[in-house]
């Protein structure tokens, strides 16, 4: 991450306004964003390009439309580096934002650059011991074959060992490039009622680094923010672990997604 680019992007009030609009409603087209600003379409495009270059906005094609998504991960990294890396993890959860799609579902996209190899990054995703180091004591267990189940549970080093956190199926397994999983949260009654969504991990080599994109979709429109609010801190912790060998936080801060569940 280029911290200077992030600070420059955030320094402009128009660009902050665009991020505010995406925070309120994610996945908007250029036209929809432009209607909320008193400037030309070209001016909006220039500001969005600065935000994209800083990693604060990512885009996805949906048919003939180009949708813009807020990527909060660089802000999370700035927070960890410059503000308060020891803050309580649940205080860093971002509020949910709605994206109204025809199917009544919404999608969240997170992107981060990590200086590592695809093989090492893949290992950090599927190895339960490594995974637990940046997901605050939660390991993921599976044989990592297409169609096989997986389960996320707390490790023996946490305050509530062997607590089930999530479960699902490995829908596509293509190491070290792509992992697609169904996702059903188990840590509380509220999130259990949300049913099953989908998480896609995509790894792309870029020079001596990797671009990791995590897409959490098939979420109910207006879904509980606990389902996806912890991703920025998880990805920040993954980057810190692979680039420095250090831990962003300790297993004692479990659970990052639902702190009240840790005490139950």
């Amino acid at each position: 991450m280029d911290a200077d680019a992030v600070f420059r992007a955030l320094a402009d009030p128009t660009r902050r306004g665009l991020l505010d609009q995406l925070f309120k409603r994610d996945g908007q087209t250029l036209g929809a964003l432009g209607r909320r600003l008193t400037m030309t379409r070209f001016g909006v495009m220039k500001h969005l390009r600065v935000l994209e270059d800083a990693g604060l906005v990512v885009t996805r094609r949906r048919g003939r439309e180009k949708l813009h998504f807020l990527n909060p991960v660089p802000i999370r990294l700035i927070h960890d580096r410059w503000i308060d890396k020891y803050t309580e993890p649940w205080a860093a959860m971002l509020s949910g934002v709605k994206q109204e799609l025809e199917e009544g579902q919404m999608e969240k996209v997170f992107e981060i650059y990590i200086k590592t190899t695809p093989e090492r990054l893949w290992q950090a995703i599927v190895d339960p011991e490594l995974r637990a180091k940046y997901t605050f004591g939660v390991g993921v267990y599976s044989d990592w074959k297409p169609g096989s189940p997986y389960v996320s549970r707390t490790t023996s080093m946490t305050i509530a060992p062997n607590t089930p956190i999530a479960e699902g199926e490995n829908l596509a397994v293509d190491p070290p490039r792509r992992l697609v999983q169904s996702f059903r949260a188990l840590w509380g009654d509220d999130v259990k009622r949300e049913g099953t969504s989908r998480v896609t991990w995509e790894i792309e080599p870029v020079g001596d680094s990797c671009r990791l994109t995590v897409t959490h979709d098939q979420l109910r429109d207006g879904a509980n923010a606990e389902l996806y609010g912890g991703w920025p801190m998880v990805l920040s912790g993954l980057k810190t672990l692979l680039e420095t060998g250090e831990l962003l936080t300790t297993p004692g801060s479990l659970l990052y997604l639902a702190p009240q569940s840790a005490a139950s």
Side-chain angles (χ1 to χ4, degrees):
M1 181 198 68
D2 185 344
D4 290 339
V6 175
F7 280 120
R8 283 195 298 269
L10 294 174
D12 185 275
T14 298
R15 291 194 284 271
R16 294 197 300 270
L18 285 168
L19 294 179
D20 284 339
Q21 291 299 325
L22 292 175
F23 181 80
K24 293 175 183 177
R25 182 182 175 187
D26 218 0
Q28 296 191 54
T29 63
L30 171 63
L33 290 167
R35 285 193 292 272
R36 295 173 173 83
L37 296 174
T38 56
M39 65 171 52
T40 65
R41 181 182 179 92
F42 181 70
V44 178
M45 288 176 61
K46 287 179 63 178
H47 284 297
L48 285 172
R49 173 56 61 186
V50 174
L51 292 170
E52 285 187 58
D53 290 344
L56 292 165
V57 168
V58 295
T59 60
R60 288 290 182 273
R61 287 282 180 184
R62 294 291 181 271
R64 298 179 63 181
E65 292 186 326
K66 182 180 181 181
L67 303 181
H68 299 79
F69 293 86
L70 169 66
N71 180 32
V73 176
I75 298 175
R76 176 72 246 182
L77 294 172
I78 292 292
H79 173 276
D80 295 336
R81 174 64 179 86
W82 297 105
I83 301 175
D84 184 7
K85 67 173 62 179
Y86 301 111
T87 189
E88 294 293 341
W90 52 85
M93 288 173 53
L94 296 179
S95 298
V97 279
K98 292 184 179 181
Q99 177 197 356
E100 297 178 2
L101 300 177
E102 291 181 359
E103 299 82 3
Q105 296 180 342
M106 69 176 184
E107 173 182 16
K108 303 298 296 179
V109 182
F110 306 92
E111 184 178 276
I112 191 170
Y113 286 81
I114 302 175
K115 191 171 184 179
T116 188
T117 64
E119 292 77 13
R120 189 162 173 252
L121 178 51
W122 178 271
Q123 189 68 16
I125 294 170
V126 301
D127 183 277
E129 292 186 7
L130 287 174
R131 183 78 166 254
K133 290 182 178 180
Y134 62 90
T135 55
F136 317 106
V138 178
V140 181
Y141 302 85
S142 176
D143 63 10
W144 303 112
K145 296 179 181 178
S148 65
Y150 76 88
V151 61
S152 299
R153 63 174 182 268
T154 56
T155 66
S156 59
M157 300 300 291
T158 61
I159 58 177
N162 297 316
T163 300
I165 300 302
E167 64 182 9
E169 178 184 341
N170 298 311
L171 304 175
V173 183
D174 182 20
R177 291 179 291 271
R178 187 168 179 264
L179 174 65
V180 185
Q181 300 174 295
S182 62
F183 177 85
R184 180 172 177 266
L186 302 174
W187 62 80
D189 291 338
D190 288 344
V191 291
K192 285 181 181 178
R193 284 192 287 268
E194 295 290 345
T196 302
S197 54
R198 181 177 64 182
V199 175
T200 301
W201 305 72
E202 295 175 289
I203 300 171
E204 180 184 352
V206 180
D208 62 352
S209 300
C210 291
R211 177 169 60 202
L212 173 62
T213 304
V214 174
T215 303
H216 196 162
D217 63 0
Q218 297 184 359
L219 291 156
R220 180 184 62 82
D221 186 23
N224 192 321
E226 287 186 11
L227 292 178
Y228 54 84
W231 281 116
M233 194 168 192
V234 168
L235 298 182
S236 179
L238 173 57
K239 178 181 175 71
T240 299
L241 176 66
L242 291 181
E243 291 188 348
T244 71
E246 299 178 356
L247 302 183
L248 185 62
T249 187
T250 63
S253 62
L254 181 77
L255 292 168
Y256 70 92
L257 287 170
Q260 293 180 350
S261 301
S264 60

